[in-house]
Amino acid sequence: MNSNVENLPPQVLRLVYKEVSALAADPPEGIKIYPSEEDITELHTAIEGPEGTPYAGGVFRMRLVLGKDFPAAPPRGYFLTKIFHPNVGHKGEICVNVLRRDWKAELGLRHVLLTIKCLLIHPNPESALNEEAGRLLLEDYKEYASRAHLLTEIHAMGGTSGALQEPADGPQPKKHAGDPNKRVAGAGLPTNGVATNNLSNSSSSGTSSSNTNIVAKKKTDKKRALRRL
């Protein structure tokens, strides 16, 4: 999706930058903000699945896209993490009133994020984009919760969607670094070539001892030969 930075007036861009900076510094509980310095009109976020819902334990990546008519028109929201939810379409598009007819320019992005998080707690089957999820929510909640939790386990847990923690900076250690098996294999062996020297010295010592024995045997054999004469 193309950036709308050039389409928005400078005063709107300043307001957006100010709000995004405030969100990054003090995000709503359970929500992480990933602002982009290159494109302020596309805001990436991660939302923790609320406790007591089929989405608990998951981390769901999402993005808000500010169109050229923002803030007169609401931002468009998309889930990047696959989710089974009545108000989320198969391509991740989000159907929530605050992003449609109830939008007001003064609501702001924080309100949008909180509303989407609340949608995970209270889905609205009346405006379902995923008709199957909406039907199950009304007719068989147990099956709906089971499906939603299964997709959460598959797509939103175990680091597959990106956790709320920041990635580690700098080069990562080699794969075997700190491996206890590697340490055990080398335990007790001197370092800096000392082990090699010891082996070399041991080999030299054995060779010297063998030569001495040969010389002594030759002397003994010579004495025996002289006695026979």
Side-chain angles (χ1 to χ4, degrees), residues 140-201:
D140 188 351
Y141 181 82
K142 185 176 180 180
E143 178 62 20
Y144 158 75
S146 176
R147 291 276 298 276
H149 182 65
L150 178 62
L151 260 70
T152 298
E153 284 187 327
I154 295 173
H155 298 285
M157 292 184 181
T160 58
S161 69
L164 295 186
Q165 293 84 0
E166 295 288 352
D169 294 327
Q172 298 298 308
K174 293 182 180 179
K175 191 173 182 180
H176 66 268
D179 188 341
N181 294 328
K182 295 290 183 181
R183 292 200 299 269
V184 170
L189 292 180
T191 56
N192 299 329
V194 175
T196 305
N197 291 339
N198 286 344
L199 290 174
S200 177
N201 292 339

Side-chain angles (χ1 to χ4, degrees), residues 34-110:
Y34 300 95
S36 171
E37 295 181 359
E38 297 178 357
D39 186 1
I40 199 68
T41 67
E42 184 168 321
L43 182 64
H44 284 251
T45 69
I47 300 179
E48 290 181 345
E51 292 297 326
T53 72
Y55 312 105
V59 176
F60 298 87
R61 291 279 185 175
M62 193 195 72
R63 70 175 180 175
L64 291 179
V65 180
L66 313 184
K68 61 182 180 180
D69 296 325
F70 181 84
R76 295 185 299 278
Y78 301 89
F79 271 96
L80 303 178
T81 302
K82 191 172 181 62
I83 184 174
F84 186 73
H85 191 287
N87 307 113
V88 181
H90 296 291
K91 295 182 179 180
E93 62 273 27
I94 302 171
C95 179
V96 58
N97 288 339
V98 74
L99 297 182
R100 294 190 174 186
R101 62 176 181 269
D102 292 344
W103 171 254
K104 297 177 182 178
E106 60 268 22
L107 289 177
L109 300 178
R110 181 180 294 270

Side-chain angles (χ1 to χ4, degrees), residues 6-30:
E6 296 181 356
N7 297 323
L8 292 176
Q11 64 271 23
V12 172
L13 288 175
R14 282 195 295 269
L15 291 174
V16 171
Y17 181 82
K18 182 178 180 180
E19 184 173 10
V20 169
S21 298
L23 279 171
D26 182 26
E29 184 179 358

Side-chain angles (χ1 to χ4, degrees), residues 195-209:
T196 305
N197 291 339
N198 286 344
L199 290 174
S200 177
N201 292 339
S202 175
S203 176
S204 299
S205 176
T207 302
S208 176
S209 176

